[in-house]
């Protein structure tokens, strides 16, 4: 969620003519770059000063006393960093980031059948759109493609809508957002897995059928299409959208700091356009945020909004409102924590993957203008969560493709628990 900017990377994009994109700058390889986890201990200020003085990028900054920073160190600065950071406990996450990206990034051509093999690898953006269309084609009587507006570059924010025996538009809605932050590729795949599992098992699994008959689902695997495309053409580790900023050469707003909910509260976002947590010049001034917020409000007014989940990576966290404050929680916080506790236990029961849980602010850090606070406080969702998926730092954003399917399966266990236990 709150991280600094990170250079450029590899990867091509198949079927680029199927999307709108920017002119592609020259890609910069990460060959020889290291990603190091540095324990701050009681010297967080000192560590932050070293990072700032050397102008190093981070995947995660030091969020609290006793925390750590995940730091990207180019070869040219490694000796200086090692000298200045002597005494800090350091763990190597990626020995050579360029190699890790290359190993992660080999797309396989989409076979044109929306089956479980889709989850064996990562995919080009155009193929994600095809996958959703093929999933609808396989279930034409209970699903359709939906959009919730367009991005800065004119790409539709595309999702899938599906319903049960009562038909569409008559049951409370469940809305999932994936790939808010462009580099968090695992969230795209996990959101799609939820749609795939629910639709393909509707006719054979009584529990799944009961969920789909009880609720209507809207799943948007990529709500930041411009940023996601950019990760596949120019900068694998890009986070924000691709919006220009007046008076600055730096590009992008953090869509998850731009929602019109407690946006003006200080301390949970950045006012610097070059920062990865840049909140924007005004609340809701990112077209993606405006469109997504309007969609949630529309769904709430039309049919009710039962559950909203915003999928992120990485850290393995299951979090509830609020992000804008650490001193206040919803009136139903006890129920929230009971649900989260049960969901993380269900997740752990699958492969032993441990998630921590709690309110956003006290679990990870303060985050203002975020989607979960908006969904709960403004749209009036009955339940709203944000999940940070695998892992806890061994791979970080560059999660091997072999972990896609396990991530989807265990996430489904958590979702299943919520669907069965929400009041």
């Amino acid at each position: 969620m709150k991280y600094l900017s990170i250079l450029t990377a590899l990867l091509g994009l198949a079927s680029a003519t199927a999307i709108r994109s920017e002119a592609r700058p020259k890609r910069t390889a990460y060959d020889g770059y290291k990603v190091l986890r540095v324990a701050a201990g009681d010297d967080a200020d000192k560590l932050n000063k070293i990072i700032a003085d050397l102008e190093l990028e981070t995947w995660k900054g030091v969020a609290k006393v006793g925390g750590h920073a995940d730091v990207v160190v180019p070869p040219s600065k490694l000796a200086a960093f090692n000298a200045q950071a002597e005494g800090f406990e350091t763990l190597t996450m990626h020995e050579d980031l360029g190699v890790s990206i290359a190993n992660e990034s080999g797309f396989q051509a989409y076979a044109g059948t929306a089956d479980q093999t889709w989850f064996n690898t990562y995919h080009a953006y155009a193929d994600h759109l095809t996958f959703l269309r093929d999933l609808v084609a396989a279930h034409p009587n209970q699903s359709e493609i939906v959009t919730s507006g367009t991005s800065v570059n004119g790409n539709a924010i595309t999702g899938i809508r599906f319903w049960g025996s009562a038909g569409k538009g008559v049951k409370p809605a469940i809305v999932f957002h994936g790939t808010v932050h462009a580099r968090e590729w695992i969230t795209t795949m996990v959101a799609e897995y939820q749609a795939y599992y629910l639709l393909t098992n509707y006719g054979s699994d009584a529990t799944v059928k009961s969920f789909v008959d009880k609720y209507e689902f809207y799943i948007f695997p990529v709500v930041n299409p411009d940023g996601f495309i950019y990760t596949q053409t120019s900068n694998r580790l890009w986070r924000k959208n691709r919006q220009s900023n007046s008076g600055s050469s730096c590009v992008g707003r953090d869509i998850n700091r731009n929602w019109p909910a407690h946006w003006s509260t200080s301390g949970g976002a950045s006012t610097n356009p070059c920062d990865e947590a840049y909140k924007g010049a005004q609340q809701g001034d990112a077209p993606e945020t405006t469109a997504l917020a309007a969609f949630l409000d529309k769904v709430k007014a039309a049919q009710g909004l039962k559950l909203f989940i915003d999928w992120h990576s990485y850290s393995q966290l299951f979090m509830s409102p609020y992000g804008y404050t650490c001193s206040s929680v919803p009136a139903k916080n006890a129920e929230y924590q009971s649900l989260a506790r049960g969901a993380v236990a269900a997740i752990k029961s699958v492969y032993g993957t441990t998630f921590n849980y709690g309110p956003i602010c006290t679990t990870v850090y303060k985050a203002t203008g975020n989607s979960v606070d908006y969904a709960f406080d403004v749209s009036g969702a009955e339940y709203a969560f944000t999940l940070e998926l695998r892992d806890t730092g061994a791979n970080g954003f560059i999660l091997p493709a072999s972990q896609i399917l396990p991530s989807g399966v265990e996430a489904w266990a958590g979702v299943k628990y919520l669907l069965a236990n929400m009041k």
Side-chain angles (χ1 to χ4, degrees):
M1 296 169 75
K2 184 179 180 182
Y3 319 109
L4 305 176
S5 59
I6 304 181
L7 310 182
T8 51
L10 309 174
L11 302 183
L13 176 66
S15 304
T17 56
I19 56 176
R20 301 182 187 182
S21 185
E22 307 165 71
R24 298 178 184 178
K26 182 179 180 181
R27 300 171 192 160
T28 301
Y30 285 92
D31 296 345
Y33 281 66
K34 296 185 184 298
V35 183
L36 305 174
R37 170 160 289 181
V38 187
D42 296 327
D43 289 324
D45 290 343
K46 179 181 178 182
L47 178 57
N48 284 330
K49 187 177 186 304
I50 293 170
I51 292 169
D53 288 347
L54 292 176
E55 298 182 329
L56 298 176
E57 313 294 348
T58 66
W59 283 2
K60 288 185 180 291
V62 181
K64 57 188 70 177
V65 174
H68 61 263
D70 294 347
V71 187
V72 181
V73 186
S76 62
K77 296 182 179 181
L78 184 60
F81 178 79
N82 287 339
Q84 295 186 36
E86 185 177 0
F88 285 96
E89 182 180 347
T90 301
L91 172 70
T92 300
M93 295 167 60
H94 291 276
E95 182 67 34
D96 188 324
L97 184 55
V99 171
S100 297
I101 290 172
N103 289 340
E104 173 218 40
S105 303
F107 297 156
Q108 296 177 8
Y110 176 44
T113 54
D115 60 24
Q116 191 163 294
T117 61
W118 172 257
F119 303 99
N120 292 340
T121 185
Y122 295 104
H123 300 275
Y125 178 64
D127 284 347
H128 284 283
L129 301 181
T130 302
F131 173 80
L132 292 179
R133 288 193 293 266
D134 289 348
L135 200 55
V136 167
H139 307 276
N141 297 322
Q142 65 173 131
S143 64
E144 65 185 13
I145 296 295
V146 291
T147 61
S148 60
T150 56
S151 67
V152 171
N153 290 339
N155 290 299
I157 302 173
T158 303
I160 185 171
R161 173 189 190 184
F162 52 96
W163 54 88
S165 57
K168 63 181 179 179
V170 296
K171 296 292 185 179
I174 290 174
V175 180
F176 293 167
H177 286 177
T179 328
V180 177
H181 293 144
R183 62 194 175 197
E184 298 170 9
W185 287 7
I186 187 60
T187 70
T188 320
M189 305 301 296
V190 167
E192 287 171 346
Y193 184 83
Q194 310 312 302
Y196 166 80
Y197 190 90
L198 285 161
L199 277 169
T200 57
N201 287 282
Y202 177 80
S204 59
D205 186 316
T207 299
V208 168
K209 187 178 189 303
S210 71
F211 293 152
V212 179
D213 286 345
K214 186 175 183 180
Y215 302 113
E216 185 165 346
F217 291 80
Y218 298 84
I219 297 180
F220 296 90
V222 183
V223 300
N224 180 8
D226 298 351
F228 187 57
I229 292 164
Y230 196 72
T231 65
Q232 298 192 331
T233 59
S234 306
N235 180 339
R236 170 61 185 90
L237 296 169
W238 184 259
R239 170 181 163 96
K240 300 183 286 185
N241 74 356
R242 294 296 300 163
Q243 190 169 354
S244 61
N245 294 305
S246 178
S248 174
S249 61
C250 294
V251 174
R253 284 156 170 71
D254 182 345
I255 296 175
N256 204 38
R257 299 295 185 275
N258 189 246
W259 289 71
H262 313 289
W263 179 87
S264 297
T265 303
S266 63
S270 175
T271 58
N272 179 359
C274 299
D275 196 286
E276 295 231 330
Y278 177 51
K279 64 194 293 184
Q282 299 177 17
Q283 65 179 16
D285 66 354
E288 296 89 350
T289 307
T290 299
L292 294 167
F295 186 86
L296 287 185
D297 294 346
K298 179 181 177 181
V299 167
K300 168 63 177 179
Q303 60 193 109
L305 181 54
K306 187 70 174 183
L307 172 66
F308 171 76
I309 295 181
D310 202 358
W311 301 87
H312 289 266
S313 70
Y314 59 95
S315 284
Q316 294 173 199
L317 303 172
F318 202 110
M319 296 182 291
S320 58
Y322 291 112
Y324 80 95
T325 177
C326 292
S327 60
S328 179
V329 293
K332 60 194 299 181
N333 185 59
E335 182 186 356
Y336 258 113
Q337 301 319 311
S338 176
L339 284 170
R341 181 167 55 251
V344 301
I347 291 170
K348 187 172 183 178
S349 71
V350 183
Y351 302 112
T353 308
T354 299
F355 278 60
N356 292 327
Y357 67 93
I360 296 167
C361 189
T362 55
T363 303
V364 60
Y365 43 66
K366 190 174 185 179
T368 53
N370 72 78
S371 63
V372 167
D373 289 357
Y374 182 92
F376 184 74
D377 266 0
V378 183
S379 290
E382 292 187 49
Y383 302 94
F385 292 94
T386 185
L387 272 68
E388 295 272 0
L389 298 170
R390 293 189 184 192
D391 56 11
T392 57
N395 297 285
F397 299 118
I398 312 302
L399 192 71
S402 60
Q403 295 196 38
I404 294 172
L405 185 57
S407 294
V409 172
E410 69 191 11
W412 162 245
V415 169
K416 180 180 179 181
Y417 181 90
L418 290 181
L419 297 179
N421 290 279
M422 293 184 302
K423 295 179 180 177

